[in-house]
Amino acid sequence: MNTNKRYKWEVLFLLWIAFFLNQADRQIFNVVLPSIKADMHLTDVEIGLIATIFNLVFALFVPISGILGNSWSKKWIIIFSIILWSGATMLTGISSTLLMFILFRSTATGLGEAMFGPANYSLLAGYHKETRAFAMSIHQTAYYVGIIASGFLAGYIAENWGWRNAFYVFGAVGVVHGIYMIFRLKDKKSEPTTEEEKPKLTEAILILFKTPTALILTIAFSGLIFVLVGYLTWTPTYLYENFSLSLSKAGFMSMFFTHIAAFVGIFFAGKFSDKLAERYPQKRMLLQAIGLLAAIPFILLVGQSTTLLPVYIGLAGFGFARAFFDANTYSVLFDVIPEKYHSSASGMMQMIGFSVGSLSPLVLGYLKPQIGLASGISLLSVVWLVCAIILFIGYRRFYKKDFEKLQLTLKK
C-alpha cells in the first residue's frame, strides 16, 4: 500500500472532491426551494419538514457509520456512501409528491451522507498526524466551495432548464467520482488489534459522555449545526423574497460571501491553531468560543438590515468568524479521545448535533409567517452566545485535564 508522504495529500484531494459533492448535493434543495415550492404547491412547514427529516435521518445513522468505521474498511464505507447519496440526488429530480421528496431527498440522501462523515474524517486523520489541523482545514474548504458552487450552478440550471436537472447533473458527477475512488482510495494500514483491543459497542457510545471536553464540544457543535442548518435552508429564500433577487442570484449571494470569507478564514485559523496548540493545546477550544462570539453581531446584521450591502457584510463576517470553530472541531475531539474511538466518537457527535440541528428548518418555517425570516434569522444569534459560554467553561476547566489524561494513557 502506498503510504508515502505524497499519497496522504492524494487522499486529501480525493476526500476533498467527495466532501465538495457532499455539500453541493445537500445545498441544491435549499437553492431551488422557491421553484420546488411553487411547482409542488408546498407550504413553508412542509418545506421545513423535508429538511428536518433529512437531518434526522442523517443524525440517526451517522453513529452507526461511526461504529462500523472502527472495524470495517473506511474506503468502502466512503465509496458506498458517495454512490448512494449521489444516486438518491438524481432520483430526487423525478419527485412529484411530498412523499417522494421525503423518500429520496430526506431518507435516501440523508442515509448516504450519514455513512460518509465519520469514515471520511477518521481516514483523513489517520493519514495526517503532524499536519492534521492543516489538512482538516484544507478539507473543510470543500464545504465552502461546494456550497458556493451549488448556490450558483443549481440556481442557474433551475432557471434555464428546470429545477429537476440540477439534481440530475450533480448526482451524476457524484456517481462518477465514487467509481473513480474505487481504484485510487486506499485504507490506512494501522497496528493490528486483538479482539480485546477492538472497541466494544457500549464503549464506543459512552466514550463521548465520559470525557467532559468531548461532551462540551458536542453541545457546542449541536448549537453550531442548529444555526447553520437554519441558515443554509432559509437564507436563499430570505434574499429571494425580501430583496427580490433572482433564483440564481439569491442562491449564489446567500452562500458566496459567507463561504468565501470562511474559505480565507479556515486557512488562517488552521495554521494559527496548530502553532498555538504546540504549547497550549487547550487554546483550540478558546478559539472556537471566540469565533462564535465574533459571529453574533454579523448574524444580527444579516437579519436586521433593510439593504443588501450590510447583509453581504454580515454574511462575510459570519463566515470568517465561524471558521475558527470549524478548523478546530475534529482536532479538539481527537485530542481527548483515544484513536480507536475516533470514528465512533465523531459519529456520535454528529448524531447529536444533527438531531438538534434538524429542528431548525422546521422552527424557522413555523416562525416565518409569524414573525418573518428576518427576525427568525436574528434569533439564531442567541444559540451561539450560549454555545460560546459553554466552550469557554470547557477551555477553563476541562480541556487541559482531558488532554493530559489521554497523553498519559498513550505513554503506558
Side-chain angles (χ1 to χ4, degrees):
M1 182 183 294
N2 185 0
T3 56
N4 59 35
K5 292 183 178 180
R6 291 181 59 187
Y7 182 68
K8 73 177 183 179
W9 298 109
E10 182 180 350
V11 170
L12 175 60
F13 170 76
L14 292 170
L15 296 179
W16 191 98
I17 297 295
F19 194 35
F20 166 87
L21 293 168
N22 177 281
Q23 295 303 311
D25 287 2
R26 188 179 301 185
Q27 187 61 16
I28 296 170
F29 176 80
N30 304 328
V31 173
V32 303
L33 189 154
S35 293
I36 294 174
K37 180 181 175 183
D39 189 28
M40 305 295 298
H41 306 290
L42 299 175
T43 66
D44 292 321
V45 172
E46 287 173 331
I47 289 291
L49 181 64
I50 294 170
T52 288
I53 294 176
F54 169 89
N55 287 285
L56 277 177
V57 170
F58 182 96
L60 289 173
F61 283 96
V62 77
I64 297 174
S65 171
I67 293 169
L68 293 177
N70 285 328
S71 54
W72 289 19
S73 165
K74 295 179 178 63
K75 165 186 172 174
W76 289 107
I77 292 175
I78 290 169
I79 290 170
F80 170 78
S81 70
I82 294 172
I83 294 176
L84 175 58
W85 93 60
S86 298
T89 297
M90 296 178 69
L91 289 173
T92 302
I94 70 171
S95 298
S96 57
T97 65
L98 175 63
L99 182 60
M100 292 179 73
F101 272 105
I102 291 174
L103 176 62
F104 296 132
R105 163 67 187 177
S106 302
T107 305
T109 305
L111 173 60
E113 296 199 3
M115 299 301 292
F116 177 73
N120 163 63
Y121 286 112
S122 184
L123 183 61
L124 183 61
Y127 275 101
H128 290 268
K129 300 294 186 180
E130 297 82 5
T131 55
R132 181 170 293 170
F134 182 59
M136 291 287 186
S137 297
I138 294 175
H139 181 267
Q140 185 66 20
T141 63
Y143 169 89
Y144 309 134
V145 178
I147 289 178
I148 291 171
S150 181
F152 173 73
L153 292 175
Y156 182 81
I157 293 171
E159 283 184 330
N160 290 275
W161 298 286
W163 61 265
R164 297 181 187 279
N165 285 295
F167 289 99
Y168 299 150
V169 170
F170 278 90
V173 173
V175 171
V176 171
H177 184 62
I179 294 172
Y180 176 73
M181 290 180 75
I182 292 175
F183 303 99
R184 292 304 309 164
L185 188 64
K186 298 178 176 65
D187 279 310
K188 178 72 168 64
K189 185 179 294 183
S190 58
E191 294 296 323
T193 60
T194 66
E195 288 299 316
E196 290 75 16
E197 290 174 326
K198 289 182 179 180
K200 296 180 175 61
L201 178 61
T202 53
E203 293 175 347
I205 294 173
L206 293 175
I207 188 66
L208 203 67
F209 300 96
K210 293 180 178 178
T211 310
T213 299
L215 181 58
I216 288 172
L217 177 67
T218 299
I219 294 171
F221 181 76
S222 300
L224 178 90
I225 297 301
F226 185 90
V227 172
L228 293 183
V229 169
Y231 153 73
L232 290 172
T233 302
W234 286 110
T235 302
T237 301
Y238 171 62
L239 295 185
Y240 178 79
E241 293 182 350
N242 290 42
F243 296 93
S244 301
L245 298 185
S246 67
L247 194 64
S248 60
K249 191 171 184 180
F252 177 72
M253 292 300 186
S254 63
M255 299 298 123
F256 175 77
F257 292 101
T258 295
H259 294 95
I260 199 67
F263 184 97
V264 174
I266 198 93
F267 280 105
F268 173 75
K271 278 289 190 182
F272 182 69
S273 298
D274 278 346
K275 188 69 176 177
L276 195 62
E278 289 178 2
R279 294 186 62 188
Y280 310 104
Q282 69 271 24
K283 298 289 186 181
R284 291 190 190 277
M285 187 168 268
L286 176 62
L287 290 176
Q288 290 183 298
I290 292 172
L292 295 188
L293 280 175
I296 289 172
F298 293 106
I299 295 174
L300 294 172
L301 191 60
V302 171
Q304 296 303 309
S305 298
T306 56
T307 58
L308 280 171
L309 180 59
V311 170
Y312 294 156
I313 293 172
L315 290 172
F318 163 74
F320 185 85
R322 57 74 66 98
F324 284 83
F325 190 103
D326 291 341
N328 289 288
T329 301
Y330 292 95
S331 293
V332 168
L333 183 66
F334 295 162
D335 272 353
V336 298
I337 295 291
E339 185 173 1
K340 68 178 181 177
Y341 297 118
H342 281 183
S343 183
S344 56
S346 62
M348 286 298 298
M349 183 177 73
Q350 290 186 60
M351 183 201 76
I352 296 169
F354 279 90
S355 293
V356 174
S358 69
L359 300 174
S360 185
L362 192 58
V363 169
L364 291 181
Y366 174 78
L367 292 176
K368 184 173 179 283
Q370 314 296 326
I371 62 174
L373 273 178
S375 296
I377 290 171
S378 298
L379 285 174
L380 295 175
S381 62
V382 177
V383 177
W384 277 12
L385 175 61
V386 174
C387 291
I389 294 171
I390 294 172
L391 284 168
F392 185 76
I393 293 172
Y395 153 70
R396 293 285 295 178
R397 298 193 58 184
F398 300 111
Y399 195 109
K400 188 176 180 180
K401 293 179 182 178
D402 290 339
F403 178 83
E404 291 176 347
K405 179 180 178 180
L406 179 59
Q407 299 309 306
L408 288 173
T409 301
L410 294 174
K411 291 177 181 178
K412 291 181 180 179

